[in-house]
Amino acid sequence: MSGVNSPDFSITKKMKLRKLNRSLHRDLGYIFFFMTIVYGLSGIALNHLDDWNPNYIVKFSEFQIEQQLTKENLDKTQVTELIQKFAPGEKYKNHYFPKENELKIFIKDGNISIDLESGQGEIETSKRRPVFHQFNYLHYNPRKWWTIVSDVYAVSLLLLAITGLFILKGKTGITGRGAWLTALGILIPIIYLLIYYWKVF
């Protein structure tokens, strides 16, 4: 019984716990490396919705038609020819006339509007933004089974945060410099809440 309470046993137990802590922190970091990239990049993208469209690349362009067009002489064949001339590479989907002198063409990646009287046209295309569209899709939690994956990741982040506190020892660890940095990290969201949520200041 004395051996169980001996200093050597206590030191060995602490060493095992510290080793387990490091191993857990390391392995979770490896496993969820890419998930952190996904949520980190998509989080930055979604924080700036007022500045850009993180999901789609939207483009506008204008063109001028020289020949006179009328509603009567425009069928699918003529409309398709207009697409090939002014929006090469796009595919015809449908068209209609919202007004007597206005033609609206729906293409694969957008639409084309043409004023038949002036011949002035505008093309609007919208294409999925590479990488960000897929990452944002995951960030929005699209399916129930992905909720499980997200929950596991969230719990793992908590474990990464807690285990990270005890990786280092001494002056740079949680009992030294790490304590001040941790306190700073706690204060930042609390100060923000005091100012903007509780309006203390």
Side-chain angles (χ1 to χ4, degrees), residues 32-146:
F32 292 104
F33 160 76
F34 188 66
M35 288 280 286
T36 303
I37 298 296
V38 169
Y39 278 89
L41 284 177
S42 59
I44 293 171
L46 297 174
N47 276 345
H48 298 276
L49 290 174
D50 293 337
D51 302 317
W52 74 321
N53 187 329
N55 289 314
Y56 294 93
I57 300 171
V58 181
K59 291 183 179 180
F60 295 92
S61 60
E62 295 181 348
F63 61 91
Q64 182 69 40
I65 298 175
E66 300 302 329
Q67 76 265 32
Q68 184 65 42
L69 298 175
T70 62
K71 181 178 178 180
E72 289 72 24
N73 66 6
L74 279 170
D75 56 18
K76 181 179 177 180
T77 301
Q78 281 73 44
V79 170
T80 303
E81 288 176 358
L82 287 173
I83 295 172
Q84 292 173 350
K85 182 177 182 180
F86 296 103
E90 292 290 347
K91 293 183 180 180
Y92 169 89
K93 291 179 70 176
N94 200 358
H95 78 277
Y96 80 109
F97 298 89
K99 297 178 182 178
E100 187 66 25
N101 289 319
E102 184 180 348
L103 169 63
K104 192 83 169 181
I105 308 170
F106 295 100
I107 53 180
K108 180 184 176 183
D109 295 313
N111 63 81
I112 302 173
S113 298
I114 301 175
D115 186 319
L116 300 180
E117 191 172 348
S118 65
Q120 194 170 23
E122 184 182 78
I123 304 171
E124 178 185 348
T125 59
S126 175
K127 296 186 178 182
R128 289 181 176 179
R129 195 178 293 279
V131 180
F132 281 100
H133 188 279
Q134 291 78 11
F135 283 10
N136 293 337
Y137 174 79
L138 293 175
H139 198 118
Y140 281 127
N141 202 5
R143 293 288 185 270
K144 284 186 177 180
W145 68 266
W146 187 253

